[in-house]
């Protein structure tokens, strides 16, 4: 893939040299663009030597340049020549400019002219990263389809510990690779995907829920839309912006999720149930807040409807992909659920490991197909896992059509 790497002006700019290497080792052809501030941290010569190509350092040609006209439209040429734009480090200033559509140098102008995929790898001080202005700029950029590789946590150049380190170059290169699968192999399909937790009320202010962030289901929805599918995402309460080109229906309880799934089922050719639906709820939850007393409180809970099992009963010729979140006997439990709920494929994940599964940006799963074949994926970013799952769904679809 042809990649243009925009290097922003942060202390982590020197790590962009490692990123160039990581991308090249995976067979990508890399061109580098540097902001003025980036050149305060690292010399263009480093990138020219690594890439063997001219490094673009300004929107303007030198006053004595013979080639003033071509320099005036160079950002358009660079935009057209490359498949992916990666910005690392993406500073708070660059994120704000991209979100606002400001174009006052080569990189910001290139961003506006660029129609391919964009990967942003932010790096900055923790307070700047957590600032609502930065987070709302990121929401805007995510909503426009940019792929954000969240920063790592650790020691920062300012002497503090926290989130804000440039993501490891391998993680950034992994993300670029996952975008490379830009095939439109789900064109013509309608995918119904569920994501996130459900909340079951105990009274007007309290509820039962779980640790699902929705990230896995949202990554699947985003990847499926990118691969050409119409995607309907039925989402429990999460703190994520809607992915680009996805129709999101927000629900809160298992009952609401069931109703939305059944309503949308007719149009769906593939159903993926990544949501962590609460298994129990309090029927007839009180309308008023439960009063605290010194006595022990017992609540009798009823099982929620098993949406996956219900879809399994009426799945017709749709492909049905379930998930299983387990803390022991992973494959055995997953196979049992797959059979009981009539799934064509099941994604099994162990959810009692730090940094994987619930809430995390990463996951590691076993994808079990109806033939019993198991494909292992990860540990990797949920975006990469989502691509692997869709690859397996595409393979399954082919094999079912062939029989
Ligand atoms: O959201 P993240 O933070 O990114 O985390 C991702 C995840 C861990 C939630 C996800 O990868 C995952 O494992 N999702 C399934 C969680 C779950 O509820 O698993 P389960 O084994 O309890 O349920 C099995 C299947 O039945 C699931 O497809 C579930 O959606 C479905 N189900 C469960 C209960 C119910 N009442 N109705 C259902 O449809």
């Amino acid at each position: 893939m042809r990649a243009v790497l925009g290097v922003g002006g942060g202390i982590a700019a020197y790590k962009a040299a490692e990123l160039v290497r990581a991308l090249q080792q995976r067979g990508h052809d890399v061109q580098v663009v540097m902001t003025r501030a980036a050149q305060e941290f690292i010399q263009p010569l480093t990138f020219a030597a690594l890439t063997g190509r001219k490094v673009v350092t300004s929107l303007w040609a030198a006053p004595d340049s013979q080639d003033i006209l071509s320099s005036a439209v160079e950002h358009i040429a660079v935009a057209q020549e490359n498949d992916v734009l990666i910005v690392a480090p993406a500073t708070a200033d660059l994120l704000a400019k991209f979100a606002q559509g400001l174009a006052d140098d080569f990189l910001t102008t290139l961003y506006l002219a660029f129609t391919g995929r964009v990967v942003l790898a932010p790096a900055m001080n923790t307070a700047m990263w957590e600032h609502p202005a930065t987070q709302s700029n990121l929401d805007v950029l995510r909503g426009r389809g940019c792929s954000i590789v969240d920063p790592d946590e650790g020691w920062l150049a300012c002497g503090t510990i926290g989130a804000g380190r440039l993501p490891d170059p391998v993680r950034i290169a992994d993300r670029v690779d996952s975008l490379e699968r830009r095939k439109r192999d789900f064109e013509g399909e309608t995918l119904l995907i569920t994501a996130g937790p459900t909340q079951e009320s105990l009274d007007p202010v309290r509820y039962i829920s779980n640790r699902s962030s929705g990230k896995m289901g949202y990554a699947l929805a985003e990847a499926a839309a990118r691969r050409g599918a119409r995607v309907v995402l039925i989402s429990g309460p999460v703190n994520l912006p809607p992915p680009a080109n996805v129709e999101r229906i927000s629900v809160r309880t298992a009952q609401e999720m069931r109703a939305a799934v059944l309503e949308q089922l007719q149009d769906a050719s593939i159903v993926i149930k990544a949501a962590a639906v609460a298994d129990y709820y309090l029927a007839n939850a009180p309308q008023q807040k439960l009063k605290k007393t010194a006595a022990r409180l017992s609540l009798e809970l009823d099982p929620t409807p098993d949406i996956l099992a219900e879809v399994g009963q009426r799945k017709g010729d749709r492909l049905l992909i379930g998930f299983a979140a387990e803390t022991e006997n992973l494959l055995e439990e997953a196979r049992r659920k797959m059979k009981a709920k009539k799934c064509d494929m099941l994604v099994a994940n162990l959810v009692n490991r730090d940094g994987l599964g619930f809430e995390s940006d990463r996951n590691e799963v076993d994808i079990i197909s109806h033939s019993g074949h198991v494909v292992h994926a990860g540990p990797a970013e949920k975006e990469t896992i989502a691509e692997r799952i869709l690859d397996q769904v595409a393979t399954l679809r082919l094999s079912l059509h062939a029989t």
Side-chain angles (χ1 to χ4, degrees):
M1 188 150 59
R2 285 163 309 175
V4 53
L5 170 62
V7 183
I11 186 73
Y14 74 95
K15 291 190 192 163
E18 273 177 58
L19 177 58
V20 170
R21 272 281 180 249
L23 291 166
Q24 287 172 329
Q25 278 161 7
R26 292 157 186 242
H28 303 299
D29 183 14
V30 187
Q31 170 168 20
V32 173
V33 169
M34 298 178 76
T35 64
R36 226 179 118 100
Q39 295 164 59
E40 300 287 335
F41 290 94
I42 181 168
Q43 291 292 313
L45 183 61
T46 305
F47 295 109
L50 286 172
T51 61
R53 299 176 68 169
K54 177 188 141 193
V55 174
V56 184
T57 53
S58 168
L59 194 52
W60 313 109
D64 56 349
S65 169
Q66 301 298 307
D67 204 9
I68 293 221
L69 184 59
S70 67
S71 96
V73 291
E74 196 178 10
H75 56 285
I76 305 293
V78 174
Q80 287 170 349
E81 278 163 12
N82 286 283
D83 305 304
V84 61
L85 166 63
I86 306 152
V87 182
T91 59
D93 176 60
L94 280 172
L95 297 176
K97 283 179 172 158
F98 293 158
Q100 289 301 314
L102 295 179
D104 61 356
D105 68 359
F106 193 96
L107 182 53
T108 49
T109 312
L110 170 66
Y111 168 78
L112 280 190
F114 199 76
T115 54
R117 299 285 296 142
V118 177
V119 176
L120 302 175
M124 63 198 73
N125 154 277
T126 307
M128 291 170 75
W129 167 250
E130 288 173 351
H131 196 285
T134 303
Q135 290 303 317
S136 93
N137 288 332
L138 285 162
D139 284 349
V140 168
L141 294 166
R142 274 193 202 98
R144 290 188 192 142
C146 293
S147 185
I148 316 286
V149 191
D150 283 346
D152 286 339
E153 290 196 13
W155 276 103
L156 300 173
C158 52
T160 56
I161 299 179
R165 282 163 67 99
L166 184 74
D168 187 284
V170 171
R171 270 181 67 211
I172 305 173
D174 274 352
R175 180 69 63 86
V176 173
D177 279 352
S178 75
L179 300 180
E180 191 182 2
R181 307 151 188 266
R182 289 196 304 167
K183 42 196 180 213
R184 310 266 304 166
D185 53 353
F186 282 83
E187 225 147 43
E189 304 279 9
T190 296
L191 267 75
L192 178 55
I193 299 178
T194 67
T198 64
Q199 292 177 355
E200 312 301 329
S201 293
L202 297 178
D203 69 13
V205 297
R206 304 182 179 96
Y207 56 79
I208 304 175
S209 192
N210 58 63
R211 288 170 43 214
S212 170
S213 63
K215 288 178 186 169
M216 190 67 247
Y218 275 56
L220 277 162
E222 198 174 318
R226 217 164 35 232
R227 287 166 73 156
R230 172 182 170 235
V231 180
V232 179
L233 173 65
I234 298 178
S235 172
V238 298
N239 203 8
L240 299 172
N245 305 318
V246 165
E247 298 159 45
R248 180 169 75 168
I249 299 172
S250 297
V251 297
R252 197 171 81 81
T253 64
Q255 294 282 4
E256 287 173 18
M257 187 171 277
R258 172 183 177 271
V261 167
L262 296 185
E263 196 181 316
Q264 298 295 325
L265 191 58
Q266 188 160 341
D267 291 340
S269 50
I270 300 174
V271 180
I272 307 185
K273 291 230 50 287
V277 185
D279 287 323
Y280 293 94
Y281 78 115
L282 181 65
N284 303 319
Q287 298 297 309
Q288 305 303 328
K289 188 180 167 204
L290 285 167
K291 295 273 182 286
K292 183 185 167 193
T293 66
R296 172 173 281 169
L297 172 69
S298 299
L299 295 170
E300 203 156 308
L301 302 176
D302 284 316
T304 55
D306 192 321
I307 310 165
L308 180 59
E310 204 169 334
V311 175
Q313 293 295 340
R314 43 172 105 175
K315 81 183 188 66
D317 55 7
R318 291 176 193 90
L319 285 185
L320 179 58
I321 295 94
F323 268 68
E326 306 297 340
T327 52
E328 57 184 349
N329 304 330
L330 178 67
L331 288 179
E332 198 182 316
E333 276 305 304
R335 287 198 174 100
R336 186 187 60 74
K337 285 183 183 169
M338 183 168 168
K339 192 165 168 218
K341 304 190 187 200
K342 298 193 182 345
C343 298
D344 299 294
M345 179 177 278
L346 195 127
V347 181
N349 50 189
L350 265 186
V351 287
N352 49 358
R353 292 168 299 168
D354 283 346
L356 290 170
F358 279 106
E359 293 171 314
S360 159
D361 290 336
R362 293 165 69 76
N363 207 357
E364 181 177 18
V365 299
D366 285 311
I367 308 168
I368 311 173
S369 81
H370 74 309
S371 64
H373 183 63
V374 178
V375 171
H376 189 78
E381 299 240 307
K382 284 180 176 165
E383 284 74 9
T384 306
I385 299 289
E387 296 285 359
R388 300 269 152 76
I389 293 170
L390 291 181
D391 288 347
Q392 291 310 309
V393 175
T395 308
L396 173 68
R397 186 182 51 178
L398 261 182
S399 74
L400 290 177
H401 286 169
T403 53

PDB file of all heavy atoms in Angstrom, residues 9-29:
ATOM      1  N   GLY A   9       4.586  18.016  15.233  1.00  0.00           N
ATOM      2  CA  GLY A   9       5.636  18.575  16.077  1.00  0.00           C
ATOM      3  C   GLY A   9       5.481  18.240  17.539  1.00  0.00           C
ATOM      4  O   GLY A   9       4.965  19.036  18.327  1.00  0.00           O
ATOM      5  N   GLY A  10       5.900  17.048  17.910  1.00  0.00           N
ATOM      6  CA  GLY A  10       5.877  16.652  19.320  1.00  0.00           C
ATOM      7  C   GLY A  10       7.175  15.929  19.616  1.00  0.00           C
ATOM      8  O   GLY A  10       7.877  15.495  18.682  1.00  0.00           O
ATOM      9  N   ILE A  11       7.461  15.754  20.901  1.00  0.00           N
ATOM     10  CA  ILE A  11       8.716  15.102  21.293  1.00  0.00           C
ATOM     11  C   ILE A  11       8.804  13.691  20.706  1.00  0.00           C
ATOM     12  O   ILE A  11       9.879  13.181  20.441  1.00  0.00           O
ATOM     13  CB  ILE A  11       8.865  15.109  22.840  1.00  0.00           C
ATOM     14  CG1 ILE A  11      10.216  14.568  23.289  1.00  0.00           C
ATOM     15  CG2 ILE A  11       7.756  14.330  23.512  1.00  0.00           C
ATOM     16  CD1 ILE A  11      11.337  15.520  23.030  1.00  0.00           C
ATOM     17  N   ALA A  12       7.617  13.082  20.464  1.00  0.00           N
ATOM     18  CA  ALA A  12       7.603  11.709  19.930  1.00  0.00           C
ATOM     19  C   ALA A  12       7.902  11.655  18.431  1.00  0.00           C
ATOM     20  O   ALA A  12       7.913  10.573  17.839  1.00  0.00           O
ATOM     21  CB  ALA A  12       6.240  11.062  20.202  1.00  0.00           C
ATOM     22  N   ALA A  13       8.216  12.824  17.816  1.00  0.00           N
ATOM     23  CA  ALA A  13       8.439  12.836  16.366  1.00  0.00           C
ATOM     24  C   ALA A  13       9.565  11.872  15.969  1.00  0.00           C
ATOM     25  O   ALA A  13       9.524  11.261  14.901  1.00  0.00           O
ATOM     26  CB  ALA A  13       8.748  14.253  15.894  1.00  0.00           C
ATOM     27  N   TYR A  14      10.554  11.721  16.887  1.00  0.00           N
ATOM     28  CA  TYR A  14      11.681  10.844  16.531  1.00  0.00           C
ATOM     29  C   TYR A  14      11.226   9.392  16.344  1.00  0.00           C
ATOM     30  O   TYR A  14      11.813   8.628  15.597  1.00  0.00           O
ATOM     31  CB  TYR A  14      12.801  10.950  17.580  1.00  0.00           C
ATOM     32  CG  TYR A  14      12.498  10.246  18.882  1.00  0.00           C
ATOM     33  CD1 TYR A  14      12.945   8.945  19.118  1.00  0.00           C
ATOM     34  CD2 TYR A  14      11.752  10.882  19.881  1.00  0.00           C
ATOM     35  CE1 TYR A  14      12.658   8.300  20.313  1.00  0.00           C
ATOM     36  CE2 TYR A  14      11.467  10.246  21.063  1.00  0.00           C
ATOM     37  CZ  TYR A  14      11.914   8.963  21.279  1.00  0.00           C
ATOM     38  OH  TYR A  14      11.618   8.320  22.441  1.00  0.00           O
ATOM     39  N   LYS A  15      10.104   9.024  17.058  1.00  0.00           N
ATOM     40  CA  LYS A  15       9.629   7.632  16.941  1.00  0.00           C
ATOM     41  C   LYS A  15       8.992   7.375  15.581  1.00  0.00           C
ATOM     42  O   LYS A  15       8.735   6.230  15.218  1.00  0.00           O
ATOM     43  CB  LYS A  15       8.605   7.335  18.031  1.00  0.00           C
ATOM     44  CG  LYS A  15       9.187   7.294  19.419  1.00  0.00           C
ATOM     45  CD  LYS A  15       8.131   6.746  20.359  1.00  0.00           C
ATOM     46  CE  LYS A  15       8.512   6.939  21.803  1.00  0.00           C
ATOM     47  NZ  LYS A  15       7.372   6.799  22.687  1.00  0.00           N
ATOM     48  N   ALA A  16       8.692   8.459  14.844  1.00  0.00           N
ATOM     49  CA  ALA A  16       8.112   8.280  13.514  1.00  0.00           C
ATOM     50  C   ALA A  16       9.113   7.567  12.594  1.00  0.00           C
ATOM     51  O   ALA A  16       8.716   6.907  11.627  1.00  0.00           O
ATOM     52  CB  ALA A  16       7.693   9.624  12.932  1.00  0.00           C
ATOM     53  N   ALA A  17      10.409   7.701  12.913  1.00  0.00           N
ATOM     54  CA  ALA A  17      11.420   7.006  12.103  1.00  0.00           C
ATOM     55  C   ALA A  17      11.247   5.486  12.249  1.00  0.00           C
ATOM     56  O   ALA A  17      11.333   4.736  11.282  1.00  0.00           O
ATOM     57  CB  ALA A  17      12.814   7.439  12.539  1.00  0.00           C
ATOM     58  N   GLU A  18      10.977   5.043  13.494  1.00  0.00           N
ATOM     59  CA  GLU A  18      10.723   3.607  13.726  1.00  0.00           C
ATOM     60  C   GLU A  18       9.469   3.168  12.995  1.00  0.00           C
ATOM     61  O   GLU A  18       9.387   2.052  12.489  1.00  0.00           O
ATOM     62  CB  GLU A  18      10.477   3.356  15.215  1.00  0.00           C
ATOM     63  CG  GLU A  18      11.699   3.110  16.039  1.00  0.00           C
ATOM     64  CD  GLU A  18      11.283   2.949  17.496  1.00  0.00           C
ATOM     65  OE1 GLU A  18      10.465   2.063  17.810  1.00  0.00           O
ATOM     66  OE2 GLU A  18      11.756   3.752  18.318  1.00  0.00           O
ATOM     67  N   LEU A  19       8.473   4.055  12.969  1.00  0.00           N
ATOM     68  CA  LEU A  19       7.215   3.719  12.286  1.00  0.00           C
ATOM     69  C   LEU A  19       7.454   3.536  10.786  1.00  0.00           C
ATOM     70  O   LEU A  19       6.909   2.619  10.172  1.00  0.00           O
ATOM     71  CB  LEU A  19       6.165   4.811  12.554  1.00  0.00           C
ATOM     72  CG  LEU A  19       4.831   4.638  11.852  1.00  0.00           C
ATOM     73  CD1 LEU A  19       4.169   3.303  12.204  1.00  0.00           C
ATOM     74  CD2 LEU A  19       3.888   5.793  12.198  1.00  0.00           C
ATOM     75  N   VAL A  20       8.302   4.409  10.218  1.00  0.00           N
ATOM     76  CA  VAL A  20       8.623   4.265   8.792  1.00  0.00           C
ATOM     77  C   VAL A  20       9.163   2.855   8.549  1.00  0.00           C
ATOM     78  O   VAL A  20       8.730   2.137   7.646  1.00  0.00           O
ATOM     79  CB  VAL A  20       9.663   5.326   8.345  1.00  0.00           C
ATOM     80  CG1 VAL A  20      10.183   5.014   6.946  1.00  0.00           C
ATOM     81  CG2 VAL A  20       9.048   6.713   8.385  1.00  0.00           C
ATOM     82  N   ARG A  21      10.105   2.440   9.398  1.00  0.00           N
ATOM     83  CA  ARG A  21      10.714   1.103   9.260  1.00  0.00           C
ATOM     84  C   ARG A  21       9.649  -0.005   9.376  1.00  0.00           C
ATOM     85  O   ARG A  21       9.612  -0.930   8.583  1.00  0.00           O
ATOM     86  CB  ARG A  21      11.778   0.907  10.352  1.00  0.00           C
ATOM     87  CG  ARG A  21      13.116   1.404   9.949  1.00  0.00           C
ATOM     88  CD  ARG A  21      13.770   0.358   9.024  1.00  0.00           C
ATOM     89  NE  ARG A  21      15.085   0.757   8.592  1.00  0.00           N
ATOM     90  CZ  ARG A  21      15.405   1.091   7.345  1.00  0.00           C
ATOM     91  NH1 ARG A  21      14.490   1.109   6.401  1.00  0.00           N
ATOM     92  NH2 ARG A  21      16.633   1.395   7.016  1.00  0.00           N
ATOM     93  N   ALA A  22       8.787   0.133  10.401  1.00  0.00           N
ATOM     94  CA  ALA A  22       7.757  -0.906  10.623  1.00  0.00           C
ATOM     95  C   ALA A  22       6.842  -1.008   9.409  1.00  0.00           C
ATOM     96  O   ALA A  22       6.473  -2.111   8.987  1.00  0.00           O
ATOM     97  CB  ALA A  22       6.947  -0.588  11.871  1.00  0.00           C
ATOM     98  N   LEU A  23       6.512   0.131   8.826  1.00  0.00           N
ATOM     99  CA  LEU A  23       5.616   0.114   7.650  1.00  0.00           C
ATOM    100  C   LEU A  23       6.333  -0.501   6.455  1.00  0.00           C
ATOM    101  O   LEU A  23       5.763  -1.312   5.704  1.00  0.00           O
ATOM    102  CB  LEU A  23       5.149   1.536   7.319  1.00  0.00           C
ATOM    103  CG  LEU A  23       4.194   2.172   8.346  1.00  0.00           C
ATOM    104  CD1 LEU A  23       4.070   3.670   8.110  1.00  0.00           C
ATOM    105  CD2 LEU A  23       2.814   1.510   8.269  1.00  0.00           C
ATOM    106  N   GLN A  24       7.605  -0.120   6.293  1.00  0.00           N
ATOM    107  CA  GLN A  24       8.362  -0.657   5.157  1.00  0.00           C
ATOM    108  C   GLN A  24       8.534  -2.171   5.281  1.00  0.00           C
ATOM    109  O   GLN A  24       8.433  -2.895   4.291  1.00  0.00           O
ATOM    110  CB  GLN A  24       9.735   0.018   5.075  1.00  0.00           C
ATOM    111  CG  GLN A  24       9.648   1.452   4.582  1.00  0.00           C
ATOM    112  CD  GLN A  24      10.985   2.171   4.682  1.00  0.00           C
ATOM    113  OE1 GLN A  24      11.787   1.879   5.583  1.00  0.00           O
ATOM    114  NE2 GLN A  24      11.218   3.109   3.777  1.00  0.00           N
ATOM    115  N   GLN A  25       8.770  -2.640   6.523  1.00  0.00           N
ATOM    116  CA  GLN A  25       8.953  -4.088   6.717  1.00  0.00           C
ATOM    117  C   GLN A  25       7.706  -4.868   6.328  1.00  0.00           C
ATOM    118  O   GLN A  25       7.766  -6.037   6.019  1.00  0.00           O
ATOM    119  CB  GLN A  25       9.321  -4.381   8.174  1.00  0.00           C
ATOM    120  CG  GLN A  25      10.806  -4.175   8.420  1.00  0.00           C
ATOM    121  CD  GLN A  25      11.135  -3.992   9.891  1.00  0.00           C
ATOM    122  OE1 GLN A  25      10.262  -4.151  10.754  1.00  0.00           O
ATOM    123  NE2 GLN A  25      12.366  -3.643  10.183  1.00  0.00           N
ATOM    124  N   ARG A  26       6.545  -4.205   6.372  1.00  0.00           N
ATOM    125  CA  ARG A  26       5.292  -4.868   5.980  1.00  0.00           C
ATOM    126  C   ARG A  26       4.971  -4.613   4.511  1.00  0.00           C
ATOM    127  O   ARG A  26       3.846  -4.849   4.064  1.00  0.00           O
ATOM    128  CB  ARG A  26       4.155  -4.375   6.844  1.00  0.00           C
ATOM    129  CG  ARG A  26       4.310  -4.824   8.277  1.00  0.00           C
ATOM    130  CD  ARG A  26       3.539  -3.916   9.186  1.00  0.00           C
ATOM    131  NE  ARG A  26       3.798  -4.252  10.566  1.00  0.00           N
ATOM    132  CZ  ARG A  26       2.872  -4.667  11.425  1.00  0.00           C
ATOM    133  NH1 ARG A  26       1.633  -4.794  11.038  1.00  0.00           N
ATOM    134  NH2 ARG A  26       3.194  -4.943  12.667  1.00  0.00           N
ATOM    135  N   GLY A  27       5.927  -4.045   3.799  1.00  0.00           N
ATOM    136  CA  GLY A  27       5.763  -3.911   2.355  1.00  0.00           C
ATOM    137  C   GLY A  27       5.091  -2.629   1.902  1.00  0.00           C
ATOM    138  O   GLY A  27       4.735  -2.498   0.730  1.00  0.00           O
ATOM    139  N   HIS A  28       4.903  -1.656   2.810  1.00  0.00           N
ATOM    140  CA  HIS A  28       4.274  -0.402   2.385  1.00  0.00           C
ATOM    141  C   HIS A  28       5.328   0.553   1.841  1.00  0.00           C
ATOM    142  O   HIS A  28       6.450   0.612   2.338  1.00  0.00           O
ATOM    143  CB  HIS A  28       3.541   0.254   3.560  1.00  0.00           C
ATOM    144  CG  HIS A  28       2.503  -0.637   4.182  1.00  0.00           C
ATOM    145  ND1 HIS A  28       1.427  -1.102   3.481  1.00  0.00           N
ATOM    146  CD2 HIS A  28       2.408  -1.163   5.429  1.00  0.00           C
ATOM    147  CE1 HIS A  28       0.696  -1.869   4.273  1.00  0.00           C
ATOM    148  NE2 HIS A  28       1.276  -1.935   5.456  1.00  0.00           N
ATOM    149  N   ASP A  29       4.907   1.318   0.845  1.00  0.00           N
ATOM    150  CA  ASP A  29       5.776   2.317   0.247  1.00  0.00           C
ATOM    151  C   ASP A  29       5.475   3.649   0.963  1.00  0.00           C
ATOM    152  O   ASP A  29       4.338   4.107   0.935  1.00  0.00           O
ATOM    153  CB  ASP A  29       5.407   2.392  -1.246  1.00  0.00           C
ATOM    154  CG  ASP A  29       6.286   3.348  -1.986  1.00  0.00           C
ATOM    155  OD1 ASP A  29       7.323   3.737  -1.433  1.00  0.00           O
ATOM    156  OD2 ASP A  29       5.922   3.703  -3.124  1.00  0.00           O
TER     157      ASP A  29
END
